[in-house]
Amino acid sequence: MDVKIESSWKKALKPEFEKPYFKELVEKLKAEKETHTIFPKGVDIFRAFDLTPLDQVKVIILGQDPYHGIGQAHGLSFSVPKGIKQPPSLKNIFKELQSDIGITPPQHGDLSSWAKQGVMLINAMLTVRAHEAGSHQSLGWQNFTDQVIQVISEKRENCVFILWGNYARNKVDLIDQTKHKVIQSPHPSPFSANRGFFGSKPFSITNAYLKENGLNEINWAISE
């Protein structure tokens, strides 16, 4: 199956694209589009891969599924395009960013600048129906994104996996912790941020680990 995705990922994930579950996923997605509005738009489904090639991955921030409001999802976990109101979880991420390393929250919520530095912003489900959270959990995306996590774990070294919330934390067994750093905390959602997300210092911990291993630190500041 010819999937339009960045070349290094296309090579690494080629076996997945030929598996029955992925072909079924594509057919289910086509059927969904006949009767529902699907986010993000097709060109953005693999945007996290396009902005962060496999050989450049240094950090992985795993979300659950895309935002389901109009104009929010653009293929990067927790991120929204410029001009779109910041969702509550993203506002809390920026609060922790300021508390952790003193960066003033930006006016917009586009995290593309992180992705271009090697921060893989990936959701476990890459699509969702409009206004229906979790509506594509049965399509088979988890089979694919679990493999993505394993590919990064196997082919890269000294990456930082940031797992926020129980859903993401359940993926820890896919990661070889002898060669990668795992940071776990509650989700930045307003429902759980006060239970340990605030004060978890993921940004400074990430940069300290990258520096220790001779890698360039992430510039977490987001330009306006």
Coordinates of all heavy atoms in Angstrom, one line a residue, residues 43-138:
V43 N -4.4 15.5 4.7 CA -3.0 15.9 4.5 C -2.3 16.0 5.8 O -1.0 16.0 5.8 CB -2.9 17.2 3.7 CG1 -3.4 18.4 4.6 CG2 -1.6 17.5 3.2
D44 N -3.0 16.2 7.0 CA -2.3 16.3 8.3 C -2.3 15.1 9.1 O -1.7 15.1 10.2 CB -3.0 17.4 9.1 CG -2.7 18.8 8.6 OD1 -1.7 19.0 7.9 OD2 -3.5 19.8 8.8
I45 N -2.9 14.0 8.6 CA -2.9 12.8 9.5 C -1.5 12.3 9.9 O -1.3 11.9 11.0 CB -3.7 11.6 8.7 CG1 -5.2 12.0 8.6 CG2 -3.5 10.3 9.4 CD1 -6.0 11.0 7.8
F46 N -0.6 12.4 9.0 CA 0.8 11.9 9.3 C 1.8 13.1 9.5 O 3.0 13.0 9.2 CB 1.3 11.0 8.2 CG 0.6 9.7 8.1 CD1 -0.2 9.4 7.0 CD2 0.7 8.8 9.1 CE1 -0.9 8.2 6.9 CE2 0.0 7.6 9.1 CZ -0.8 7.3 8.0
R47 N 1.2 14.3 9.9 CA 2.1 15.5 10.0 C 3.2 15.3 11.0 O 4.3 15.8 10.8 CB 1.2 16.7 10.4 CG 1.9 18.0 10.3 CD 1.0 19.2 10.1 NE 1.7 20.4 10.0 CZ 1.8 21.3 11.0 NH1 1.3 21.0 12.2 NH2 2.5 22.4 10.8
A48 N 2.9 14.6 12.1 CA 3.9 14.4 13.1 C 5.1 13.7 12.5 O 6.3 14.0 12.9 CB 3.4 13.6 14.3
F49 N 4.9 12.8 11.6 CA 6.0 12.0 11.0 C 6.7 12.9 10.0 O 7.9 12.8 9.9 CB 5.4 10.8 10.2 CG 4.6 9.8 11.2 CD1 3.3 10.1 11.5 CD2 5.3 8.7 11.7 CE1 2.7 9.2 12.4 CE2 4.6 7.8 12.5 CZ 3.3 8.1 12.8
D50 N 5.9 13.7 9.3 CA 6.6 14.6 8.2 C 7.5 15.6 8.9 O 8.5 16.0 8.3 CB 5.5 15.3 7.4 CG 4.6 14.3 6.6 OD1 5.2 13.2 6.3 OD2 3.5 14.6 6.3
L51 N 7.1 16.2 10.0 CA 7.9 17.2 10.7 C 9.1 16.6 11.5 O 10.0 17.3 11.8 CB 7.0 18.1 11.6 CG 6.0 19.0 10.9 CD1 5.3 19.9 11.9 CD2 6.6 19.8 9.8
T52 N 9.0 15.4 11.9 CA 10.0 14.7 12.7 C 10.4 13.4 12.1 O 9.9 12.3 12.5 CB 9.5 14.5 14.1 OG1 8.8 15.7 14.6 CG2 10.6 14.2 15.1
P53 N 11.3 13.4 11.1 CA 11.8 12.2 10.5 C 12.4 11.2 11.6 O 12.9 11.7 12.6 CB 12.9 12.6 9.5 CG 12.5 14.0 9.2 CD 11.9 14.6 10.5
L54 N 12.4 10.0 11.3 CA 12.8 9.0 12.3 C 14.2 9.2 12.8 O 14.5 9.1 14.0 CB 12.8 7.6 11.7 CG 13.2 6.4 12.5 CD1 12.5 6.3 13.9 CD2 13.1 5.1 11.8
D55 N 15.2 9.6 11.9 CA 16.5 9.8 12.4 C 16.7 11.1 13.2 O 17.8 11.3 13.7 CB 17.5 9.7 11.2 CG 17.3 10.8 10.2 OD1 16.3 11.6 10.3 OD2 18.1 11.0 9.2
Q56 N 15.7 11.9 13.3 CA 15.8 13.1 14.1 C 15.0 13.1 15.4 O 15.1 14.0 16.2 CB 15.3 14.3 13.2 CG 16.2 14.6 12.0 CD 15.6 15.7 11.1 OE1 14.9 16.6 11.6 NE2 15.9 15.6 9.8
V57 N 14.3 12.0 15.7 CA 13.5 11.9 16.9 C 14.4 11.9 18.1 O 15.3 11.1 18.2 CB 12.7 10.6 16.9 CG1 11.9 10.4 18.2 CG2 11.7 10.6 15.7
K58 N 14.1 12.8 19.0 CA 14.8 12.8 20.3 C 13.9 12.7 21.5 O 14.3 12.2 22.6 CB 15.6 14.1 20.4 CG 16.8 14.3 19.4 CD 17.7 15.4 19.8 CE 17.1 16.7 19.6 NZ 18.1 17.8 19.7
V59 N 12.7 13.2 21.3 CA 11.7 13.3 22.4 C 10.3 12.8 21.8 O 10.0 13.1 20.6 CB 11.5 14.7 23.0 CG1 10.5 14.7 24.1 CG2 12.9 15.2 23.4
I60 N 9.6 12.1 22.6 CA 8.2 11.6 22.1 C 7.2 12.1 23.2 O 7.4 11.7 24.4 CB 8.2 10.1 22.0 CG1 9.2 9.6 21.0 CG2 6.7 9.7 21.5 CD1 10.6 9.3 21.5
I61 N 6.2 12.9 22.8 CA 5.1 13.2 23.7 C 3.9 12.6 23.1 O 3.4 12.9 22.0 CB 5.0 14.7 23.8 CG1 6.2 15.4 24.3 CG2 3.8 15.1 24.7 CD1 6.2 16.9 24.5
L62 N 3.4 11.6 23.9 CA 2.3 10.8 23.4 C 0.9 11.2 23.9 O 0.7 11.4 25.1 CB 2.5 9.3 23.8 CG 1.4 8.3 23.4 CD1 1.4 8.1 21.9 CD2 1.7 6.9 24.1
G63 N 0.0 11.5 23.0 CA -1.4 11.9 23.3 C -2.3 10.7 23.0 O -1.8 9.7 22.5
Q64 N -3.6 10.9 23.3 CA -4.5 9.8 23.1 C -5.2 9.8 21.8 O -5.0 9.0 20.9 CB -5.6 9.7 24.2 CG -6.5 8.5 24.2 CD -7.2 8.3 25.5 OE1 -6.9 8.8 26.5 NE2 -8.2 7.4 25.4
D65 N -6.0 10.9 21.5 CA -6.6 11.1 20.2 C -6.6 12.6 19.9 O -6.5 13.4 20.8 CB -7.9 10.4 20.0 CG -9.0 10.9 21.0 OD1 -8.7 11.7 21.9 OD2 -10.1 10.4 20.8
P66 N -6.8 12.9 18.6 CA -6.8 14.3 18.2 C -7.9 15.1 18.9 O -9.0 14.6 19.3 CB -7.0 14.2 16.7 CG -6.6 12.9 16.3 CD -7.0 12.0 17.4
Y67 N -7.7 16.4 18.9 CA -8.8 17.3 19.4 C -10.0 17.1 18.4 O -9.8 16.9 17.2 CB -8.4 18.7 19.3 CG -7.3 19.1 20.3 CD1 -6.1 19.7 19.9 CD2 -7.5 18.9 21.7 CE1 -5.1 20.0 20.8 CE2 -6.5 19.2 22.6 CZ -5.3 19.8 22.2 OH -4.4 20.1 23.1
H68 N -11.2 17.2 18.9 CA -12.4 16.9 18.0 C -13.2 18.2 17.7 O -14.3 18.0 17.2 CB -13.2 15.8 18.6 CG -13.7 16.1 20.0 ND1 -14.7 16.9 20.4 CD2 -13.1 15.7 21.2 CE1 -14.9 16.9 21.7 NE2 -13.9 16.3 22.2
G69 N -12.7 19.3 18.1 CA -13.4 20.6 17.8 C -13.0 21.1 16.4 O -11.9 20.8 15.9
I70 N -13.8 22.0 15.8 CA -13.6 22.6 14.5 C -12.2 23.3 14.5 O -12.0 24.2 15.4 CB -14.7 23.5 14.1 CG1 -16.1 22.8 14.1 CG2 -14.4 24.2 12.8 CD1 -16.2 21.8 13.0
G71 N -11.4 23.0 13.6 CA -10.1 23.7 13.4 C -9.0 23.4 14.3 O -7.9 23.9 14.2
Q72 N -9.2 22.5 15.3 CA -8.2 22.2 16.3 C -7.1 21.3 15.9 O -5.9 21.6 16.0 CB -8.9 21.7 17.6 CG -9.7 22.7 18.4 CD -10.3 22.1 19.6 OE1 -10.9 21.0 19.6 NE2 -10.1 22.8 20.7
A73 N -7.5 20.1 15.4 CA -6.5 19.1 15.1 C -5.7 19.4 13.9 O -6.3 19.7 12.8 CB -7.2 17.7 15.0
H74 N -4.4 19.3 14.0 CA -3.6 19.4 12.8 C -2.4 18.4 12.8 O -1.4 18.7 12.2 CB -3.1 20.9 12.6 CG -2.2 21.4 13.6 ND1 -1.2 22.4 13.3 CD2 -2.0 21.1 14.9 CE1 -0.6 22.7 14.4 NE2 -1.0 21.9 15.4
G75 N -2.6 17.3 13.4 CA -1.7 16.2 13.3 C -0.6 16.1 14.3 O 0.3 15.2 14.2
L76 N -0.6 17.0 15.3 CA 0.4 17.0 16.3 C -0.3 16.9 17.7 O -1.2 17.7 18.0 CB 1.3 18.3 16.3 CG 2.0 18.6 15.0 CD1 2.7 20.0 15.1 CD2 3.0 17.5 14.6
S77 N 0.1 16.0 18.5 CA -0.5 15.8 19.8 C -0.4 17.1 20.6 O 0.6 17.8 20.7 CB 0.1 14.7 20.6 OG 1.5 14.9 20.9
F78 N -1.5 17.5 21.3 CA -1.6 18.6 22.2 C -1.6 20.0 21.5 O -1.8 21.0 22.1 CB -0.6 18.6 23.3 CG -0.8 17.4 24.2 CD1 0.1 16.3 24.1 CD2 -1.7 17.4 25.2 CE1 -0.1 15.2 25.0 CE2 -1.9 16.3 26.0 CZ -1.1 15.2 25.9
S79 N -1.2 20.0 20.2 CA -1.0 21.3 19.5 C -2.3 21.7 18.7 O -3.1 20.8 18.3 CB 0.1 21.0 18.5 OG 0.4 22.2 17.7
V80 N -2.4 23.0 18.6 CA -3.5 23.5 17.7 C -2.9 24.6 16.8 O -1.9 25.2 17.1 CB -4.7 24.2 18.5 CG1 -5.4 23.1 19.3 CG2 -4.2 25.3 19.4
P81 N -3.5 24.8 15.6 CA -2.9 25.8 14.7 C -3.0 27.3 15.3 O -3.9 27.5 16.2 CB -3.8 25.7 13.5 CG -4.5 24.4 13.6 CD -4.6 24.1 15.0
K82 N -2.2 28.1 14.8 CA -2.3 29.5 15.2 C -3.7 30.1 14.9 O -4.3 29.7 13.8 CB -1.2 30.4 14.4 CG 0.2 30.1 14.9 CD 1.2 31.0 14.2 CE 2.6 30.7 14.6 NZ 3.6 31.5 13.9
G83 N -4.2 30.9 15.8 CA -5.6 31.4 15.6 C -6.6 30.6 16.2 O -7.8 31.1 16.3
I84 N -6.3 29.4 16.7 CA -7.3 28.6 17.4 C -7.0 28.7 18.9 O -5.9 28.6 19.4 CB -7.2 27.1 17.0 CG1 -7.5 27.0 15.5 CG2 -8.1 26.2 17.8 CD1 -8.9 27.4 15.1
K85 N -8.1 28.9 19.7 CA -8.0 29.0 21.1 C -7.2 27.8 21.8 O -7.5 26.6 21.4 CB -9.4 29.1 21.8 CG -9.4 29.3 23.3 CD -10.8 29.4 23.8 CE -10.9 29.6 25.3 NZ -12.3 29.7 25.8
Q86 N -6.3 28.0 22.7 CA -5.6 27.0 23.3 C -6.5 26.1 24.2 O -7.2 26.7 25.1 CB -4.5 27.5 24.2 CG -3.4 28.3 23.5 CD -2.4 28.9 24.4 OE1 -2.4 28.7 25.6 NE2 -1.5 29.7 23.9
P87 N -6.6 24.8 24.0 CA -7.4 23.9 24.9 C -6.8 23.9 26.3 O -5.6 24.2 26.5 CB -7.2 22.6 24.2 CG -6.8 22.8 22.8 CD -6.0 24.1 22.9
P88 N -7.6 23.5 27.3 CA -7.2 23.5 28.7 C -5.9 22.7 29.0 O -5.1 23.2 29.7 CB -8.4 23.0 29.4 CG -9.6 23.3 28.6 CD -9.1 23.2 27.1
S89 N -5.8 21.6 28.4 CA -4.6 20.8 28.6 C -3.3 21.5 28.1 O -2.3 21.5 28.8 CB -4.7 19.4 27.9 OG -5.7 18.6 28.5
L90 N -3.4 22.1 27.0 CA -2.3 22.8 26.4 C -1.9 24.0 27.3 O -0.8 24.3 27.5 CB -2.6 23.3 25.0 CG -1.4 24.0 24.2 CD1 -0.2 23.1 24.2 CD2 -1.9 24.3 22.8
K91 N -3.0 24.7 27.8 CA -2.7 25.8 28.7 C -1.9 25.4 29.9 O -1.0 26.0 30.4 CB -4.0 26.5 29.1 CG -4.7 27.4 28.1 CD -5.9 28.1 28.6 CE -6.5 29.0 27.6 NZ -7.7 29.7 28.1
N92 N -2.3 24.2 30.4 CA -1.6 23.6 31.6 C -0.2 23.2 31.3 O 0.7 23.3 32.1 CB -2.4 22.5 32.2 CG -3.6 22.9 33.0 OD1 -3.7 24.1 33.4 ND2 -4.5 22.0 33.2
I93 N 0.0 22.7 30.0 CA 1.4 22.4 29.6 C 2.3 23.7 29.6 O 3.4 23.7 30.1 CB 1.4 21.8 28.2 CG1 0.8 20.4 28.3 CG2 2.8 21.7 27.6 CD1 0.5 19.8 26.9
F94 N 1.7 24.8 29.1 CA 2.4 26.0 29.1 C 2.7 26.6 30.5 O 3.7 27.2 30.8 CB 1.7 27.1 28.2 CG 1.8 26.8 26.8 CD1 0.7 27.2 25.9 CD2 2.8 26.1 26.2 CE1 0.8 27.0 24.6 CE2 2.9 25.9 24.8 CZ 1.8 26.3 24.0
K95 N 1.7 26.3 31.4 CA 1.9 26.8 32.8 C 3.1 26.0 33.4 O 3.9 26.6 34.1 CB 0.7 26.5 33.7 CG -0.5 27.4 33.4 CD -1.7 27.1 34.3 CE -2.9 28.0 34.0 NZ -4.1 27.6 34.8
E96 N 3.2 24.7 33.2 CA 4.3 23.9 33.7 C 5.6 24.3 33.0 O 6.6 24.3 33.7 CB 4.0 22.4 33.5 CG 5.1 21.5 33.9 CD 5.5 21.6 35.4 OE1 4.6 22.1 36.2 OE2 6.6 21.1 35.8
L97 N 5.5 24.7 31.7 CA 6.7 25.1 31.0 C 7.3 26.4 31.7 O 8.5 26.5 31.9 CB 6.4 25.4 29.6 CG 7.5 25.9 28.6 CD1 8.5 24.8 28.4 CD2 6.9 26.2 27.3
Q98 N 6.4 27.3 32.1 CA 6.8 28.5 32.7 C 7.4 28.2 34.1 O 8.4 28.8 34.5 CB 5.7 29.5 32.8 CG 6.1 30.9 33.4 CD 5.0 31.9 33.2 OE1 3.8 31.6 33.2 NE2 5.4 33.2 33.1
S99 N 6.7 27.4 34.9 CA 7.1 27.0 36.2 C 8.5 26.3 36.2 O 9.3 26.5 37.0 CB 6.1 26.2 36.9 OG 6.5 25.7 38.1
D100 N 8.6 25.4 35.2 CA 9.8 24.6 35.1 C 11.0 25.3 34.6 O 12.1 25.3 35.3 CB 9.5 23.4 34.1 CG 10.6 22.4 34.1 OD1 11.6 22.5 34.8 OD2 10.5 21.4 33.2
I101 N 10.9 26.0 33.5 CA 12.1 26.7 33.0 C 11.9 28.1 32.6 O 12.8 28.7 31.9 CB 12.7 25.9 31.7 CG1 11.6 25.7 30.7 CG2 13.2 24.5 32.1 CD1 12.1 25.0 29.4
G102 N 10.8 28.7 33.1 CA 10.7 30.2 33.0 C 10.3 30.8 31.7 O 10.4 32.0 31.5
I103 N 9.7 29.9 30.8 CA 9.3 30.4 29.5 C 7.9 30.9 29.6 O 7.0 30.2 30.0 CB 9.4 29.3 28.4 CG1 10.9 29.0 28.2 CG2 8.7 29.7 27.1 CD1 11.2 27.9 27.2
T104 N 7.7 32.2 29.2 CA 6.4 32.8 29.2 C 5.5 32.1 28.2 O 5.9 31.9 27.0 CB 6.5 34.3 28.8 OG1 7.3 34.9 29.8 CG2 5.1 34.9 28.8
P105 N 4.2 31.7 28.6 CA 3.3 31.0 27.6 C 3.1 31.9 26.4 O 2.9 33.1 26.5 CB 2.0 30.9 28.4 CG 2.5 30.9 29.9 CD 3.7 31.8 29.9
P106 N 3.1 31.2 25.2 CA 2.9 32.0 24.0 C 1.4 32.3 23.8 O 0.5 31.8 24.5 CB 3.3 31.0 22.9 CG 3.1 29.6 23.5 CD 3.4 29.8 25.0
Q107 N 1.1 33.2 22.8 CA -0.3 33.6 22.6 C -1.0 32.5 21.7 O -2.2 32.5 21.7 CB -0.3 34.9 21.9 CG 0.2 36.1 22.7 CD -0.5 36.3 24.0 OE1 -1.8 36.4 24.0 NE2 0.2 36.3 25.1
H108 N -0.3 31.7 21.0 CA -0.9 30.6 20.2 C -0.5 29.3 20.7 O 0.3 29.1 21.7 CB -0.5 30.8 18.7 CG 1.0 30.6 18.5 ND1 1.6 29.3 18.3 CD2 2.1 31.4 18.5 CE1 2.9 29.4 18.1 NE2 3.2 30.7 18.2
G109 N -1.0 28.2 20.1 CA -0.8 26.9 20.6 C -0.2 25.9 19.6 O -0.3 24.7 19.7
D110 N 0.5 26.5 18.6 CA 1.1 25.7 17.5 C 2.5 25.2 18.0 O 3.4 26.0 18.2 CB 1.2 26.5 16.2 CG 1.7 25.7 15.0 OD1 2.2 24.6 15.2 OD2 1.6 26.2 13.9
L111 N 2.7 23.9 18.1 CA 3.9 23.3 18.6 C 4.8 22.8 17.5 O 5.7 22.0 17.8 CB 3.6 22.1 19.6 CG 2.7 22.5 20.8 CD1 2.4 21.2 21.6 CD2 3.2 23.6 21.6
S112 N 4.6 23.3 16.3 CA 5.4 22.8 15.2 C 6.9 23.0 15.4 O 7.7 22.2 15.0 CB 5.0 23.5 13.9 OG 3.7 23.2 13.6
S113 N 7.3 24.1 16.1 CA 8.7 24.4 16.3 C 9.3 23.3 17.2 O 10.5 23.0 17.0 CB 8.9 25.8 17.0 OG 8.3 25.8 18.3
W114 N 8.6 22.7 18.1 CA 9.1 21.6 18.9 C 9.3 20.4 17.9 O 10.4 19.7 18.0 CB 8.1 21.2 20.0 CG 7.9 22.1 21.1 CD1 8.6 23.4 21.2 CD2 7.1 22.0 22.2 NE1 8.1 24.0 22.4 CE2 7.3 23.2 23.0 CE3 6.3 21.0 22.7 CZ2 6.6 23.3 24.2 CZ3 5.6 21.1 23.9 CH2 5.7 22.3 24.6
A115 N 8.3 20.1 17.1 CA 8.4 19.0 16.2 C 9.6 19.0 15.3 O 10.3 18.0 15.0 CB 7.1 18.9 15.4
K116 N 9.9 20.2 14.8 CA 11.0 20.4 13.9 C 12.4 20.3 14.6 O 13.4 20.1 13.9 CB 10.9 21.8 13.2 CG 9.7 21.9 12.3 CD 9.5 23.3 11.8 CE 8.3 23.5 10.9 NZ 8.1 24.9 10.4
Q117 N 12.4 20.2 15.9 CA 13.6 20.0 16.6 C 13.8 18.6 17.1 O 14.8 18.2 17.8 CB 13.7 20.9 17.9 CG 13.7 22.4 17.6 CD 13.7 23.1 18.9 OE1 14.7 23.2 19.7 NE2 12.6 23.8 19.2
G118 N 12.9 17.7 16.7 CA 13.0 16.3 17.1 C 12.0 15.8 18.2 O 12.2 14.7 18.7
V119 N 11.0 16.7 18.5 CA 10.0 16.3 19.4 C 8.8 15.7 18.7 O 8.0 16.4 18.0 CB 9.5 17.5 20.3 CG1 8.4 17.0 21.3 CG2 10.7 18.1 21.0
M120 N 8.7 14.3 18.8 CA 7.6 13.6 18.1 C 6.3 13.8 18.8 O 6.1 13.2 19.9 CB 8.0 12.1 17.9 CG 7.0 11.3 17.1 SD 7.3 11.5 15.4 CE 6.1 10.3 14.7
L121 N 5.4 14.5 18.3 CA 4.1 14.8 18.9 C 3.0 13.9 18.3 O 2.4 14.3 17.3 CB 3.7 16.3 18.8 CG 4.7 17.3 19.4 CD1 4.6 18.7 18.8 CD2 4.5 17.3 20.9
I122 N 2.9 12.7 18.9 CA 2.0 11.7 18.2 C 0.9 11.3 19.1 O 1.1 11.1 20.3 CB 2.9 10.5 17.8 CG1 2.0 9.5 17.0 CG2 3.6 9.9 19.0 CD1 2.8 8.4 16.4
N123 N -0.3 11.2 18.5 CA -1.4 10.6 19.2 C -1.5 9.1 19.0 O -1.1 8.6 17.9 CB -2.7 11.3 18.8 CG -2.9 12.7 19.3 OD1 -2.8 12.9 20.5 ND2 -3.1 13.6 18.4
A124 N -2.1 8.4 19.9 CA -2.3 6.9 19.7 C -3.3 6.6 18.6 O -3.2 5.7 17.9 CB -2.7 6.3 21.0
M125 N -4.3 7.5 18.5 CA -5.3 7.5 17.4 C -5.0 8.7 16.5 O -4.9 9.8 17.1 CB -6.7 7.5 17.9 CG -7.3 6.2 18.2 SD -6.5 5.3 19.6 CE -7.0 6.3 20.9
L126 N -4.9 8.5 15.2 CA -4.5 9.6 14.4 C -5.7 10.3 13.8 O -5.5 11.4 13.1 CB -3.5 9.1 13.3 CG -2.2 8.5 13.8 CD1 -1.3 8.2 12.6 CD2 -1.5 9.4 14.8
T127 N -6.9 9.8 14.0 CA -8.1 10.5 13.5 C -9.2 10.4 14.5 O -9.1 9.6 15.5 CB -8.6 9.9 12.2 OG1 -8.8 8.5 12.4 CG2 -7.6 10.0 11.1
V128 N -10.2 11.2 14.3 CA -11.4 11.3 15.2 C -12.6 11.9 14.5 O -12.4 12.7 13.6 CB -11.1 12.1 16.5 CG1 -10.9 13.6 16.2 CG2 -12.1 11.9 17.6
R129 N -13.8 11.4 14.9 CA -15.0 12.1 14.3 C -15.1 13.5 15.0 O -14.8 13.7 16.1 CB -16.2 11.3 14.6 CG -16.4 10.1 13.8 CD -17.8 9.5 14.2 NE -18.0 8.1 13.7 CZ -18.9 7.3 14.0 NH1 -19.8 7.7 14.9 NH2 -19.0 6.1 13.5
A130 N -15.7 14.4 14.2 CA -15.9 15.7 14.8 C -16.9 15.6 16.0 O -17.9 14.9 15.9 CB -16.6 16.6 13.7
H131 N -16.4 16.3 17.1 CA -17.2 16.4 18.3 C -17.5 15.1 19.0 O -18.4 15.0 19.8 CB -18.6 17.1 18.0 CG -18.4 18.3 17.1 ND1 -17.7 19.4 17.5 CD2 -18.9 18.6 15.9 CE1 -17.7 20.3 16.6 NE2 -18.4 19.9 15.6
E132 N -16.7 14.0 18.7 CA -16.9 12.7 19.3 C -15.5 12.2 19.8 O -14.9 11.4 19.1 CB -17.5 11.7 18.4 CG -19.0 12.0 18.0 CD -19.6 10.9 17.2 OE1 -19.5 9.7 17.5 OE2 -20.2 11.3 16.1
A133 N -15.2 12.6 21.0 CA -13.9 12.1 21.6 C -13.8 10.6 21.6 O -14.7 9.9 22.0 CB -13.7 12.7 23.0
G134 N -12.6 10.1 21.2 CA -12.4 8.6 21.3 C -13.1 7.8 20.3 O -13.1 6.6 20.3
S135 N -13.8 8.5 19.3 CA -14.6 7.8 18.3 C -13.9 6.8 17.4 O -14.6 6.0 16.8 CB -15.5 8.8 17.6 OG -14.7 9.8 17.0
H136 N -12.6 7.0 17.2 CA -11.9 6.1 16.3 C -11.0 5.1 17.1 O -10.0 4.6 16.5 CB -11.1 6.9 15.3 CG -11.9 7.5 14.2 ND1 -11.4 8.2 13.2 CD2 -13.2 7.3 14.0 CE1 -12.4 8.5 12.3 NE2 -13.5 8.0 12.8
Q137 N -11.3 4.8 18.3 CA -10.4 3.9 19.1 C -10.6 2.5 18.6 O -9.7 1.6 18.8 CB -10.8 4.0 20.6 CG -10.3 5.3 21.2 CD -10.5 5.3 22.7 OE1 -10.7 4.2 23.3 NE2 -10.5 6.4 23.3
S138 N -11.6 2.2 17.8 CA -11.9 0.8 17.3 C -11.4 0.6 15.9 O -11.5 -0.5 15.4 CB -13.4 0.5 17.4 OG -14.1 1.3 16.6

